Amino acid sequence: MKKALLAGLALTGWTGTAGAADPSLCARLADEARGASPATWAKADPLADWVKPVQASKASPTVTALGNDARWRELLSAPESRPMRVQQLTGTSVYMVADFAGTANCQSLVLVEAKPGQPGRQIKPPAGTERMDLCTTQWASFAQVLGQPAFVVGGAPSMVSPDLNYRIATWNGRGWGQACRIAIQRRTAMTAGQRFCAPGSPVCDAGQPVAQRLAQAYETSRAAGKPLDALAFNGGYRPGEAVAVSLGLPPGDVSTAGSEGNPQFALFGAEETRLDPMLTVLSNANARRLPVLVGERWWLAVVGRAGVGWREGDAVLVALFAPPGRQQDATASYQFLIRPSGLSKATVTDGAR
């Protein structure tokens, strides 16, 4: 898919920057962002008031022809079983033909100028957008940006990042103007979500603050690219060798958490159909297991982002297990939601750097 994406974007010849764009477009967008209320940044699409993606074009002879054109289908390696998606840049004869495929929902696209009565010609995307991997959290679209037709590409850097990075360029009738970049950094807040405990759990209440502290330590260590240090988390204490072995942990140094053999996040009979699996199932992305001290007793803790498979959601899950740490030894499970809480910074760069 990456090969197909690059084939559709990395063209030679015409530079695609015929004339200057409005270099203030990203600056104006940043000004709007800085003046927005804190509630804006908790929305699923915080830029929705100013960046409005164009909907797929309605059926027309041109749209139908582009969506089934064998040239673009071959270029994008799109299957013949479905038509490709077509967008039109408002007020122009420029179209985007795209296909989405794979579990990462990777987008491959080609930009075409299609005038009535003339064969469509492939055009190059704005400089600086040709080799972006448009998968999972990254996308390209035509949009109205502050009411101005534009090409927008970008998104969040990862599934767990609250930040947003976009490159934006306008069409001047002959080519793309110079692109500008806007980087939005958002603050986040962690709040306690749902709690699930075994009947009569001896650690349910006492484990809550420890679990929240562990969830925060997990997020902090991951953001810093460092391992989660169990010894530091437990205030310098470590379980004895016999206790470590009883918890299914390697004997000796257990200061660095491991990730092997993670049990499930126990729900203790909660009705799973009423729960969002992206918030109540441990993803397999980067879960960690380590001993934690609650009161005067050691427990096995598993901590990681919620999600399905490699996809990660907006919650950190912590599960506590009594020795020997099997699934049937689960005693308490805690959910902590990570949500954007405000704007930290909006940065603008003109040009395609």
Side-chain angles (χ1 to χ4, degrees):
M1 179 54 64
K2 183 181 294 185
K3 181 178 179 180
L5 172 64
L6 298 183
L9 297 181
L11 309 179
T12 58
W14 176 55
T15 62
T17 56
D22 179 3
S24 67
L25 188 58
C26 288
R28 289 167 50 208
L29 182 57
D31 286 341
E32 294 285 352
R34 295 181 188 116
S37 69
T40 298
W41 305 106
K43 296 178 180 178
D45 184 3
L47 301 185
D49 288 343
W50 314 297
V51 180
K52 302 181 183 297
V54 173
Q55 299 301 312
S57 299
K58 296 181 179 180
S60 71
T62 300
V63 169
T64 300
L66 289 172
N68 293 282
D69 194 306
R71 291 175 297 169
W72 316 135
R73 188 178 300 280
E74 181 179 3
L75 183 64
L76 304 182
S77 300
E80 296 185 3
S81 58
R82 62 175 182 265
M84 296 172 288
R85 301 187 193 180
V86 180
Q87 278 185 326
Q88 181 178 10
L89 184 62
T90 305
T92 76
S93 56
V94 176
Y95 295 81
M96 179 188 300
V97 182
D99 184 64
F100 296 81
T103 58
N105 198 36
C106 291
Q107 178 185 12
S108 55
L109 64 92
V110 60
L111 300 182
V112 179
E113 187 171 27
K115 296 181 178 180
Q118 299 180 18
R121 73 180 186 98
Q122 185 177 0
I123 61 176
K124 189 177 182 180
T129 67
E130 304 96 326
R131 295 185 179 275
M132 298 187 70
D133 290 333
L134 305 181
C135 295
T136 312
T137 61
Q138 303 279 318
W139 49 266
S141 178
F142 291 149
Q144 292 281 338
V145 180
L146 297 174
Q148 189 168 347
F151 178 85
V152 179
V153 61
S158 71
M159 294 191 75
V160 299
S161 174
D163 300 335
L164 301 168
N165 301 309
Y166 294 107
R167 301 186 187 191
I168 302 173
T170 57
W171 177 262
N172 59 26
R174 295 184 299 117
W176 299 108
Q178 186 180 36
C180 62
R181 296 179 61 181
I182 180 169
I184 299 289
Q185 294 178 302
R186 293 189 286 179
R187 296 188 298 272
T188 61
M190 176 183 289
T191 58
Q194 294 180 279
R195 180 171 87 177
F196 310 90
C197 293
S201 168
V203 75
C204 187
D205 292 333
Q208 178 89 33
V210 177
Q212 183 154 357
R213 188 164 56 86
L214 179 57
Q216 189 62 66
Y218 170 82
E219 285 290 288
T220 300
S221 66
R222 191 171 177 187
K226 297 180 179 179
L228 177 57
D229 192 329
L231 186 63
F233 177 78
N234 289 302
Y237 293 99
R238 72 178 70 203
E241 183 172 322
V243 174
V245 171
S246 75
L247 292 173
L249 296 167
D253 187 5
V254 293
S255 63
T256 301
S259 60
E260 298 79 11
N262 297 317
Q264 296 178 356
F265 184 73
L267 298 175
F268 303 103
E271 190 174 346
E272 295 186 34
T273 57
R274 294 179 176 271
L275 301 173
D276 182 352
M278 286 297 290
L279 299 177
T280 55
V281 174
L282 271 167
S283 75
N284 59 20
N286 196 32
R288 315 300 291 170
R289 57 199 304 268
L290 68 157
V292 297
L293 192 61
V294 181
E296 298 181 353
R297 182 176 174 184
W298 289 99
W299 305 81
L300 173 68
V302 177
V303 56
R305 277 276 181 157
V308 177
W310 58 266
R311 300 172 183 83
E312 298 179 80
D314 297 330
V316 178
L317 304 181
V318 177
L320 298 183
F321 298 83
R326 301 164 302 177
Q327 186 60 47
Q328 58 265 39
D329 301 316
T331 185
S333 300
Y334 309 90
Q335 175 198 70
F336 301 97
L337 302 175
I338 308 290
R339 298 285 164 77
S341 59
L343 176 67
S344 176
K345 184 168 59 175
T347 306
V348 173
T349 305
D350 289 329
R353 295 187 298 276

